[in-house]
Protein backbone atom coordinates (compact mmCIF):
# COMPACT_ATOMS: atom_id res chain seq x y z
CA UNK A 1 0.00 0.00 0.00
CA UNK A 2 1.09 3.56 -0.67
CA UNK A 3 2.20 5.61 2.31
CA UNK A 4 -0.35 8.43 2.63
CA UNK A 5 2.43 10.84 3.57
CA UNK A 6 3.94 10.39 0.08
CA UNK A 7 0.66 11.48 -1.51
CA UNK A 8 0.34 14.53 0.73
CA UNK A 9 3.98 15.43 0.06
CA UNK A 10 3.40 15.24 -3.69
CA UNK A 11 0.30 17.42 -3.43
CA UNK A 12 2.21 20.06 -1.46
CA UNK A 13 5.08 20.02 -3.96
CA UNK A 14 2.66 20.58 -6.87
CA UNK A 15 0.42 23.14 -5.18
CA UNK A 16 1.94 26.06 -7.10
CA UNK A 17 1.02 24.39 -10.42
CA UNK A 18 -2.56 25.68 -10.28
CA UNK A 19 -5.01 27.40 -7.94
CA UNK A 20 -8.25 25.81 -9.16
CA UNK A 21 -8.16 22.27 -7.78
CA UNK A 22 -5.87 19.77 -6.09
CA UNK A 23 -7.05 16.17 -5.97
CA UNK A 24 -5.83 12.62 -5.67
CA UNK A 25 -7.51 9.31 -6.42
CA UNK A 26 -6.57 5.78 -5.40
CA UNK A 27 -7.05 3.59 -8.46
CA UNK A 28 -5.98 0.57 -6.43
CA UNK A 29 -4.53 0.35 -2.94
CA UNK A 30 -1.03 0.56 -4.45
CA UNK A 31 -1.77 3.00 -7.31
CA UNK A 32 -2.65 6.66 -6.93
CA UNK A 33 -2.91 9.66 -9.26
CA UNK A 34 -2.34 13.22 -8.02
CA UNK A 35 -3.30 16.33 -9.99
CA UNK A 36 -3.21 20.09 -9.53
CA UNK A 37 -5.32 22.09 -11.95
CA UNK A 38 -5.02 25.41 -13.71
CA UNK A 39 -8.35 25.64 -15.55
CA UNK A 40 -8.18 26.70 -19.21
CA UNK A 41 -10.85 24.64 -20.99
CA UNK A 42 -14.20 23.76 -19.35
CA UNK A 43 -13.79 25.67 -16.09
CA UNK A 44 -16.47 23.53 -14.42
CA UNK A 45 -15.51 21.18 -11.56
CA UNK A 46 -16.68 18.26 -13.71
CA UNK A 47 -13.36 18.49 -15.58
CA UNK A 48 -11.24 18.24 -12.44
CA UNK A 49 -8.66 15.48 -12.47
CA UNK A 50 -7.91 12.64 -12.00
CA UNK A 51 -10.73 11.91 -14.45
CA UNK A 52 -12.18 8.45 -15.00
CA UNK A 53 -14.41 6.78 -17.61
CA UNK A 54 -16.07 3.46 -18.44
CA UNK A 55 -17.06 2.82 -14.79
CA UNK A 56 -13.57 3.70 -13.58
CA UNK A 57 -11.89 1.20 -15.89
CA UNK A 58 -9.73 4.02 -17.29
CA UNK A 59 -8.32 7.03 -15.41
CA UNK A 60 -6.19 9.94 -16.60
CA UNK A 61 -3.99 12.77 -15.37
CA UNK A 62 -3.12 15.25 -18.08
CA UNK A 63 -0.95 18.36 -18.32
CA UNK A 64 -1.28 20.54 -21.41
CA UNK A 65 -3.87 21.34 -24.04
CA UNK A 66 -5.25 19.46 -27.04
CA UNK A 67 -5.97 22.15 -29.63
CA UNK A 68 -8.06 19.99 -31.97
CA UNK A 69 -10.16 18.38 -29.24
CA UNK A 70 -13.45 19.62 -30.72
CA UNK A 71 -12.84 17.79 -34.00
CA UNK A 72 -11.74 14.66 -32.13
CA UNK A 73 -14.83 14.88 -29.92
CA UNK A 74 -17.14 14.95 -32.95
CA UNK A 75 -15.32 11.97 -34.44
CA UNK A 76 -15.69 9.99 -31.19
CA UNK A 77 -19.40 10.84 -30.97
CA UNK A 78 -19.76 9.22 -34.39
CA UNK A 79 -18.20 6.09 -32.87
CA UNK A 80 -20.89 6.10 -30.15
CA UNK A 81 -19.05 7.80 -27.27
CA UNK A 82 -20.95 10.10 -24.90
CA UNK A 83 -19.38 13.02 -23.05
CA UNK A 84 -20.07 14.42 -19.59
CA UNK A 85 -17.74 17.43 -19.88
CA UNK A 86 -16.83 20.06 -22.45
CA UNK A 87 -13.10 19.69 -21.90
CA UNK A 88 -10.16 18.22 -23.78
CA UNK A 89 -9.20 15.83 -20.96
CA UNK A 90 -12.25 13.61 -21.47
CA UNK A 91 -11.70 13.70 -25.25
CA UNK A 92 -8.10 12.57 -24.76
CA UNK A 93 -9.12 9.75 -22.42
CA UNK A 94 -11.89 8.44 -24.68
CA UNK A 95 -9.67 8.87 -27.71
CA UNK A 96 -7.21 6.51 -26.03
CA UNK A 97 -10.01 4.07 -25.18
CA UNK A 98 -10.94 3.98 -28.88
CA UNK A 99 -7.54 4.15 -30.58
CA UNK A 100 -4.96 3.11 -27.97
CA UNK A 101 -1.49 4.56 -28.60
CA UNK A 102 -2.58 5.48 -32.14
CA UNK A 103 -4.43 8.47 -30.66
CA UNK A 104 -1.05 10.20 -30.47
CA UNK A 105 -0.89 10.61 -34.24
CA UNK A 106 -4.24 12.44 -34.16
CA UNK A 107 -3.34 14.98 -31.46
CA UNK A 108 -2.45 18.60 -32.13
CA UNK A 109 -1.21 20.24 -28.97
CA UNK A 110 1.26 20.18 -26.14
CA UNK A 111 0.77 17.40 -23.66
CA UNK A 112 2.05 14.99 -21.07
CA UNK A 113 -0.43 12.47 -19.74
CA UNK A 114 -0.80 9.14 -17.96
CA UNK A 115 -3.67 6.69 -18.37
CA UNK A 116 -4.24 3.70 -16.12
CA UNK A 117 -6.16 0.69 -17.41
CA UNK A 118 -7.61 -0.95 -14.30
CA UNK A 119 -8.84 -4.11 -16.04
CA UNK A 120 -5.46 -4.97 -17.57
CA UNK A 121 -3.44 -3.29 -14.80
CA UNK A 122 -1.40 -1.28 -17.32
CA UNK A 123 -0.01 2.24 -17.23
CA UNK A 124 0.45 4.37 -20.35
CA UNK A 125 2.61 7.53 -20.25
CA UNK A 126 3.13 9.86 -23.22
CA UNK A 127 4.85 13.14 -24.07
CA UNK A 128 4.19 15.49 -26.99
CA UNK A 129 6.23 15.39 -30.17
CA UNK A 130 8.77 18.10 -29.37
CA UNK A 131 8.72 17.77 -25.59
CA UNK A 132 6.99 21.01 -24.59
CA UNK A 133 5.52 19.29 -21.52
CA UNK A 134 7.94 17.23 -19.40
CA UNK A 135 7.54 13.83 -17.73
CA UNK A 136 10.06 12.79 -15.08
CA UNK A 137 10.09 9.36 -13.46
CA UNK A 138 11.83 7.37 -10.75
CA UNK A 139 11.94 3.68 -9.89
CA UNK A 140 13.06 3.05 -6.31
CA UNK A 141 12.17 0.79 -3.38
CA UNK A 142 9.40 -0.99 -5.32
CA UNK A 143 7.90 2.37 -6.29
CA UNK A 144 7.34 3.90 -9.72
CA UNK A 145 6.73 7.64 -9.49
CA UNK A 146 6.25 10.15 -12.30
CA UNK A 147 5.65 13.88 -12.27
CA UNK A 148 5.64 17.03 -14.36
CA UNK A 149 8.36 18.42 -12.07
CA UNK A 150 11.71 17.00 -11.02
CA UNK A 151 11.59 18.60 -7.58
CA UNK A 152 8.26 16.97 -6.70
CA UNK A 153 9.95 13.57 -7.01
CA UNK A 154 13.13 14.64 -5.22
CA UNK A 155 11.12 16.03 -2.29
CA UNK A 156 9.78 12.56 -1.53
CA UNK A 157 13.22 11.52 -0.23
CA UNK A 158 12.97 7.96 -1.58
CA UNK A 159 16.52 8.18 -2.94
CA UNK A 160 19.43 10.44 -2.13
CA UNK A 161 20.28 13.15 -4.62
CA UNK A 162 23.10 12.03 -6.89
CA UNK A 163 24.39 14.68 -9.31
CA UNK A 164 24.63 13.67 -12.94
CA UNK A 165 27.85 15.45 -13.88
CA UNK A 166 27.62 14.57 -17.57
CA UNK A 167 24.17 16.17 -17.66
CA UNK A 168 25.55 19.39 -16.14
CA UNK A 169 28.35 19.51 -18.70
CA UNK A 170 25.83 18.96 -21.51
CA UNK A 171 23.65 21.75 -20.20
CA UNK A 172 26.55 24.21 -19.99
CA UNK A 173 27.63 23.24 -23.48
CA UNK A 174 24.26 22.91 -25.26
CA UNK A 175 21.71 24.54 -22.88
CA UNK A 176 19.85 21.25 -22.64
CA UNK A 177 20.21 17.81 -21.09
CA UNK A 178 20.04 15.22 -23.90
CA UNK A 179 18.11 11.97 -24.20
CA UNK A 180 16.45 10.61 -21.05
CA UNK A 181 18.93 12.10 -18.57
CA UNK A 182 18.35 14.74 -15.87
CA UNK A 183 20.56 16.52 -13.35
CA UNK A 184 19.82 13.69 -10.92
CA UNK A 185 21.33 10.30 -11.81
CA UNK A 186 18.39 8.51 -10.19
CA UNK A 187 15.65 10.31 -12.12
CA UNK A 188 14.95 10.04 -15.83
CA UNK A 189 12.66 11.79 -18.28
CA UNK A 190 10.45 10.61 -21.07
CA UNK A 191 11.90 11.86 -24.34
CA UNK A 192 9.99 14.04 -26.83
CA UNK A 193 7.81 11.97 -29.15
CA UNK A 194 8.00 8.97 -26.85
CA UNK A 195 5.54 6.92 -24.84
CA UNK A 196 5.97 4.31 -22.12
CA UNK A 197 3.92 1.25 -21.28
CA UNK A 198 4.15 -0.65 -18.00
CA UNK A 199 2.31 -3.98 -18.03
CA UNK A 200 0.80 -5.97 -15.18
CA UNK A 201 4.13 -7.67 -14.54
CA UNK A 202 5.98 -4.37 -14.18
CA UNK A 203 7.72 -4.67 -17.55
CA UNK A 204 8.72 -1.32 -19.12
CA UNK A 205 8.41 -0.62 -22.83
CA UNK A 206 9.60 2.67 -24.34
CA UNK A 207 8.47 3.48 -27.90
CA UNK A 208 9.35 6.47 -30.08
CA UNK A 209 6.19 7.39 -31.98
CA UNK A 210 7.45 10.51 -33.79
CA UNK A 211 10.79 11.59 -35.23
CA UNK A 212 11.32 14.91 -37.07
CA UNK A 213 13.88 13.25 -39.33
CA UNK A 214 11.14 11.00 -40.73
CA UNK A 215 9.34 13.98 -42.26
CA UNK A 216 9.41 13.88 -46.06
CA UNK A 217 10.34 17.14 -47.77
CA UNK A 218 8.34 18.17 -50.82
CA UNK A 219 11.01 19.35 -53.28
CA UNK A 220 8.48 20.15 -55.99
CA UNK A 221 6.67 23.00 -54.24
CA UNK A 222 7.38 26.48 -55.65
CA UNK A 223 8.48 29.49 -53.65
CA UNK A 224 5.09 31.12 -54.16
CA UNK A 225 3.28 27.98 -53.01
CA UNK A 226 5.52 27.65 -49.96
CA UNK A 227 4.82 31.26 -48.93
CA UNK A 228 1.08 30.68 -49.25
CA UNK A 229 1.27 27.42 -47.30
CA UNK A 230 3.38 29.02 -44.55
CA UNK A 231 0.85 31.83 -44.17
CA UNK A 232 -2.02 29.34 -44.02
CA UNK A 233 -0.29 27.16 -41.41
CA UNK A 234 0.70 30.16 -39.28
CA UNK A 235 -2.86 31.53 -39.17
CA UNK A 236 -4.26 28.07 -38.48
CA UNK A 237 -1.78 27.50 -35.64
CA UNK A 238 -2.64 30.80 -33.98
CA UNK A 239 -6.39 30.14 -34.30
CA UNK A 240 -5.99 26.73 -32.63
CA UNK A 241 -4.07 28.23 -29.72
CA UNK A 242 -6.76 30.83 -29.12
CA UNK A 243 -9.24 28.10 -28.15
CA UNK A 244 -9.79 28.76 -24.45
CA UNK A 245 -12.47 29.45 -21.84
CA UNK A 246 -10.27 32.12 -20.22
CA UNK A 247 -8.55 35.20 -21.64
CA UNK A 248 -5.62 34.56 -23.95
CA UNK A 249 -2.38 36.55 -23.72
CA UNK A 250 0.48 36.96 -26.19
CA UNK A 251 4.11 37.38 -25.21
CA UNK A 252 6.26 38.98 -27.89
CA UNK A 253 10.02 38.84 -27.37
CA UNK A 254 11.17 40.48 -30.61
CA UNK A 255 12.51 37.41 -32.40
CA UNK A 256 11.55 36.09 -35.83
CA UNK A 257 8.56 34.10 -34.55
CA UNK A 258 7.26 37.06 -32.53
CA UNK A 259 7.63 39.34 -35.56
CA UNK A 260 5.52 36.92 -37.62
CA UNK A 261 2.82 36.88 -34.93
CA UNK A 262 2.93 40.66 -34.53
Amino acid sequence: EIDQSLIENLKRSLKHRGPDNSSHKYLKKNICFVHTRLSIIDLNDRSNQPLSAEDDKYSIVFNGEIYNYKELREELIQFGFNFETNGDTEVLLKGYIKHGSNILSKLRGQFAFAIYDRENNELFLARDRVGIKPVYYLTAKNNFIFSSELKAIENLGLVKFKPNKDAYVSYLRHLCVPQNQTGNENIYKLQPGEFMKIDNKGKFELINYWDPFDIKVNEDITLSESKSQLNKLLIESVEYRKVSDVEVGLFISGGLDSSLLG
Side-chain angles (χ1 to χ4, degrees), residues 231-245:
N231 187 60
K232 176 179 175 292
L233 289 172
L234 182 62
I235 292 173
E236 185 180 275
S237 296
V238 172
E239 288 297 327
Y240 265 121
R241 282 153 184 80
K242 285 165 58 181
V243 175
S244 174
D245 291 332

Side-chain angles (χ1 to χ4, degrees), residues 141 154 157-163 184-187:
K141 300 178 182 178
E154 290 179 334
L158 290 175
V159 293
K160 290 183 178 180
F161 174 76
K162 188 175 182 182
N184 188 331
E185 272 197 11
N186 297 311
I187 300 176

Side-chain angles (χ1 to χ4, degrees), residues 44 157 212:
N44 195 291

Side-chain angles (χ1 to χ4, degrees), residues 94-160:
K94 292 185 175 177
Y96 177 82
I97 293 171
K98 173 62 181 174
H99 300 290
S101 62
N102 291 329
I103 187 60
L104 296 169
S105 65
K106 295 176 174 287
L107 301 178
R108 296 186 66 168
Q110 47 180 299
F111 54 83
F113 66 89
I115 292 176
Y116 177 66
D117 178 344
R118 178 193 293 270
E119 187 170 278
N120 296 308
N121 193 29
E122 293 179 344
L123 182 69
F124 181 85
L125 271 167
R127 190 178 179 193
D128 61 65
R129 293 171 181 80
V130 293
I132 300 173
K133 297 298 183 183
V135 181
Y136 300 99
Y137 63 91
L138 165 75
T139 54
K141 300 178 182 178
N142 295 321
N143 292 296
F144 175 78
I145 298 167
F146 66 90
S147 177
S148 54
E149 289 195 1
L150 191 70
K151 191 169 286 294
I153 300 175
E154 290 179 334
N155 286 346
L156 296 176
L158 290 175
V159 293
K160 290 183 178 180

